Amino acid sequence: MRLPVVAPLLLVLFAACSRTPEPTASASAPATPAASTVPAAAPSAAQPTLQVTTLDGAAYDLAQQRGKWVIVNYWATWCGPCLKEMPELSALAAMRQHIAVIGLAYEDTSEDDLRAFLAKRPVAYPVARVDVYSPPKDFGAPRGLPTTWLIRPDGAVARKYTGPVTARMLEEDIASFGGPKAG
C-alpha cells in the first residue's frame, strides 16, 4: 500500500500552498491576517505610474497625489468581497485627509453599466474602468479580486494586498510605515 508514502508528500504540498508572502517595506511591519501581502516589486516601478480617466470624465494621475497615502483598489461588480470593502474604503476617503482612494473596476463591462451600479452603491472616491486586456502597466492584471496597493506619500509602494482589506488594517499599516495613527 502506498498511503504511508503519499501522506507525507501531501502534507508538504499543502504546507507550501498556505505560505503567506512577506510584507513589502520592512521586516518589522505587522502581518495582515485578513489579506495576503506580496513584495513591493509587484508593480513594475519603484514609484508606479497610473493615469486613467474616471467614470465622471476627470483625468486621474497618481503622481498628483504625492504627499498623501493612496489606496489603489482593483474590484468588480460581481466580486462579493470587493463590495463588502467598498464602504470602508469610501469612509477612509471621506474622513481622512491624508488618504486618497482610487477604485479600478477590473471587468469587461461598459462605463454606463458601472455608473448605474455606482448610483446604487455610491462611493466617496473616483472610479475608473480598467481594460482587462490592457491593464495599467505598472500594476498589471490582478491574480485575484479584490487587489489593493498602499502607496506611500513619496509615491513608492508600501504594500500589496490580495484579498479583502479593512479600514483598520490599512490605517494600522499606514501607522506602521510612519504615517499618522488613527484616533
Side-chain angles (χ1 to χ4, degrees):
M1 177 173 235
R2 294 185 177 185
L3 187 58
V5 174
V6 173
L9 180 60
L10 288 174
L11 287 174
V12 169
L13 289 173
F14 284 124
C17 291
S18 66
R19 288 188 186 151
T20 302
E22 294 297 313
T24 60
S26 71
S28 64
T32 53
S36 63
T37 57
V38 296
S44 62
Q47 291 183 324
T49 62
L50 177 65
Q51 295 176 333
V52 293
T53 301
T54 62
L55 293 177
D56 63 2
Y60 180 91
D61 186 350
L62 182 61
Q64 291 178 343
Q65 302 301 315
R66 295 290 195 274
K68 291 185 176 185
W69 291 88
V70 180
I71 298 165
V72 177
N73 178 253
Y74 272 25
W75 67 281
T77 60
W78 48 262
C79 169
C82 300
L83 304 181
K84 186 176 179 183
E85 72 182 5
M86 287 173 76
E88 290 197 44
L89 295 177
S90 189
L92 281 175
M95 297 185 328
R96 303 285 190 239
Q97 292 184 346
H98 65 281
I99 298 175
V101 179
I102 177 77
L104 301 178
Y106 188 79
E107 64 183 290
D108 194 13
T109 191
S110 72
E111 289 187 3
D112 288 339
D113 287 343
L114 286 171
R115 284 186 200 93
F117 177 84
L118 290 169
K120 295 176 185 172
R121 290 177 163 269
V123 292
Y125 53 86
V127 173
R129 185 176 62 87
V130 173
D131 183 347
V132 296
Y133 301 107
S134 182
K137 85 173 171 91
D138 285 351
F139 290 90
R143 291 186 163 211
L145 292 175
T147 295
T148 304
W149 287 266
L150 178 61
I151 310 294
R152 299 166 76 98
D154 65 2
V157 174
R159 183 163 283 166
K160 178 185 176 187
Y161 310 85
T162 300
V165 295
T166 64
R168 180 177 179 173
M169 177 191 306
L170 292 164
E171 288 188 308
E172 286 175 355
D173 283 347
I174 287 170
S176 77
F177 290 115
K181 294 184 175 161

